[in-house]
């Protein structure tokens, strides 16, 4: 090694030592305490959680929830014909006449249910049961659906020992996201969905800048883990991107009498 090279190497080493020494000194002068990483505001709101009852799979609504069905009436819903956005945005057949019996409302042929209130990001709890008497097979057995913002179907289907295409089975985002598991209960038994939904984002030009994302528990088992929803859930063809704002919860009529109870939402 030449003499100049040795000199440069020594200088570099001294500089490194000086920098590290300064850094240590700074760390010591701003010594961390337990309090320096404790945050006191804003304080999360107090929410009284729901309770487990004989008539719930999960809990009753927590104190800050918007109740969409409490077992008494369908006042929070209107009837619509068709469940694709193009039809439901134009049709309102008036009050929902789905029958309510023993605290349960049953889907009725010809009309889907649209919530009067609209939501952006939310947590949704809903309980359903497919008919105890098994009729049909595949997609024709206990078919309904929970349409998030009225556009994106989380499939409801009796998939207990009833195979169908996996991107259309219970727990799927219809034809977009295959569920991670099939924790189906038997026909006629109560099942529950707990859904955490983040709406898609659009810019002023109507372009989607972020997908919708959904996390879903079916009967307490994770079936969708922050799954991206790329557009509408189409029976035929690819997802369509349609800019939109807040949207309703829509319960699909697919010709099978599916029962629902204990439906509540927490806007996020
Ligand atoms: Mg369906």
């Amino acid at each position: 090694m030449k003499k100049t090279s040795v000199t440069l190497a020594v200088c570099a080493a001294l500089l490194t030592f000086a920098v590290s020494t300064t850094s240590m000194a700074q760390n010591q002068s701003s010594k961390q305490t337990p309090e320096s990483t404790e945050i006191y505001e804003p304080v999360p709101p107090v929410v009284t959680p729901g309770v487990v009852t004989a008539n719930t799979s999960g809990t009753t609504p927590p104190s800050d929830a918007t109740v969409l069905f409490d077992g008494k009436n369908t006042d929070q819903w209107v009837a619509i014909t068709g469940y694709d956005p193009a039809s439901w945005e134009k049709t309102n057949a008036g009050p929902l006449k789905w029958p309510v019996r023993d605290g349960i409302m049953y889907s009725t042929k010809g009309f889907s249910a649209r919530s009067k209130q609209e939501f952006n990001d939310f947590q949704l709890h809903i309980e359903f049961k497919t008919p105890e008497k098994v009729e049909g097979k595949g997609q024709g057995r206990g078919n309904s659906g929970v349409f998030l913002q009225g556009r994106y179907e989380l499939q409801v289907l009796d998939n207990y020992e009833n195979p169908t295409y996996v991107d259309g089975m219970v727990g799927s985002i219809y034809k977009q996201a295959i569920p991670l598991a099939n924790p189906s209960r038997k026909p006629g038994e109560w099942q529950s969905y707990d859904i955490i939904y983040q709406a898609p984002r659009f810019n002023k030009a109507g372009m989607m800048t972020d997908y919708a994302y959904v996390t879903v528990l079916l009967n307490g088992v994770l079936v969708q883990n922050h799954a991206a929803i790329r557009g509408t859930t189409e029976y035929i063809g690819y997802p369509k991107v349609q800019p939109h704002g807040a949207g309703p919860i829509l319960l699909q009529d697919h010709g099978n009498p599916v029962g629902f109870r204990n439906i509540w939402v927490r806007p996020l």
Side-chain angles (χ1 to χ4, degrees):
M1 190 180 282
K2 290 182 180 177
K3 191 176 178 183
T4 42
S5 298
V6 171
T7 307
L8 282 173
V10 170
C11 286
L14 285 170
L15 185 63
T16 304
F17 176 75
V19 168
S20 61
T21 306
T22 305
S23 176
M24 284 171 62
Q26 284 176 342
N27 283 341
Q28 283 174 355
S29 67
S30 60
K31 192 179 175 202
Q32 297 286 298
T33 64
E35 291 76 15
S36 63
T37 49
E38 293 171 359
I39 298 169
Y40 287 86
E41 290 183 327
V43 179
V46 173
V47 174
T48 305
V51 295
V52 177
T53 74
N55 295 319
T56 57
S57 310
T59 70
T60 57
S63 59
D64 64 345
T66 300
V67 177
L68 295 182
F69 180 62
D70 63 0
K72 296 190 178 83
N73 57 60
T74 57
D75 291 355
Q76 295 300 313
W77 304 83
V78 293
I80 55 170
T81 51
Y83 44 80
D84 61 291
S87 59
W88 67 250
E89 285 179 331
K90 292 175 188 158
T91 62
N92 177 356
L96 183 67
K97 300 249 175 63
W98 284 11
V100 176
R101 296 191 299 271
D102 301 325
I104 306 161
M105 68 177 188
Y106 290 91
S107 62
T108 303
K109 209 163 190 170
F111 296 100
S112 293
R114 175 190 172 178
S115 68
K116 290 179 179 174
Q117 295 187 59
E118 298 191 327
F119 306 94
N120 289 297
D121 302 345
F122 56 79
Q123 172 188 352
L124 170 65
H125 177 86
I126 184 166
E127 301 173 12
F128 66 92
K129 67 171 182 174
T130 60
E132 188 171 354
K133 184 183 177 190
V134 172
E135 292 178 326
K137 61 179 183 177
Q139 293 285 310
R141 188 167 135 181
N143 196 330
S144 181
V146 181
F147 280 64
L148 312 169
Q149 293 196 302
R151 293 168 173 83
Y152 314 116
E153 182 182 10
L154 170 62
Q155 178 69 296
V156 169
L157 195 69
D158 173 6
N159 269 124
Y160 186 83
E161 299 178 350
N162 177 39
T164 184
Y165 46 93
V166 295
D167 58 351
M169 63 185 290
V170 70
S172 70
I173 301 301
Y174 189 71
K175 291 190 172 176
Q176 287 194 45
I178 300 165
L180 300 168
N182 179 9
S184 290
R185 292 207 167 102
K186 291 180 180 175
E189 293 185 1
W190 281 105
Q191 311 199 59
S192 65
Y193 268 140
D194 285 285
I195 303 160
I196 293 131
Y197 174 79
Q198 179 177 302
R201 271 36 176 180
F202 301 93
N203 64 17
K204 286 181 181 171
M207 292 177 64
M208 184 187 276
T209 57
D210 203 356
Y211 295 132
Y213 293 97
V214 71
T215 296
V216 181
L217 300 175
L218 171 57
N219 301 326
V221 177
L222 185 70
V223 292
Q224 295 292 344
N225 185 11
H226 197 63
I229 303 174
R230 303 183 304 277
T232 55
T233 45
E234 301 288 331
Y235 178 46
I236 299 172
Y238 295 112
K240 294 188 177 80
V241 174
Q242 300 169 332
H244 62 84
I249 307 300
L250 194 157
L251 303 179
Q252 182 189 44
D253 161 52
H254 204 281
N256 305 134
V258 174
F260 294 94
R261 72 178 185 187
N262 193 24
I263 308 173
W264 50 263
V265 188
R266 293 183 64 246
L268 301 175

